C-alpha cells in the first residue's frame, strides 16, 4: 500500500496557490514537502495543518493506492 497526493496538487492548482505558499502557511518543513512530492507517507498532524490551510478534509488531499499486480 502507498499513498498519492495528486488530489493535493490539483487542489493547489484550483485554488491558484503554490506549494511554497502552502509550505509557509501550514508551517511544513521542506523535507516533508519532498516526501509529499514523492508520494511518501507523512504524519497526520502535518496533513491536518495542510487541511486547515486549504479548508478541506484528509480525503480531499490524499488517497490510498494499492500496489497489487
Amino acid at each position: 500500500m502507498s499513498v498519492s497526493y495528486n488530489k493535493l496538487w490539483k487542489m493547489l492548482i484550483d485554488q491558484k496557490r503554490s506549494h511554497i505558499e502552502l509550505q509557509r502557511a501550514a508551517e511544513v518543513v521542506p523535507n516533508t514537502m519532498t516526501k509529499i512530492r514523492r508520494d511518501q507517507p507523512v504524519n497526520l498532524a502535518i496533513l491536518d495543518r495542510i487541511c486547515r490551510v486549504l479548508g478541506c478534509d484528509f480525503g480531499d488531499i490524499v488517497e490510498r493506492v494499492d500496489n497489487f499486480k
Side-chain angles (χ1 to χ4, degrees):
M1 181 197 78
S2 61
V3 295
S4 171
Y5 297 99
N6 288 338
K7 290 181 174 183
L8 170 62
W9 305 123
K10 183 178 179 333
M11 183 174 286
L12 287 177
I13 291 168
D14 292 345
Q15 293 187 10
K16 295 181 172 70
R17 295 184 183 213
S18 71
H19 73 280
I20 298 296
E21 181 184 348
L22 174 64
Q23 179 180 331
R24 290 180 183 146
E27 299 178 355
V28 176
V29 297
N31 290 346
T32 300
M33 289 305 292
T34 299
K35 283 184 175 184
I36 292 172
R37 278 194 299 277
R38 293 179 179 171
D39 286 333
Q40 297 175 346
V42 298
N43 190 304
L44 283 177
I46 294 166
L47 294 179
D48 182 54
R49 290 198 312 257
I50 291 171
C51 286
R52 288 174 192 255
V53 168
L54 297 177
C56 65
D57 199 0
F58 295 119
D60 298 327
I61 63 169
V62 65
E63 65 183 334
R64 184 179 64 101
V65 179
D66 290 325
N67 294 344
F68 301 116
K69 295 189 180 200

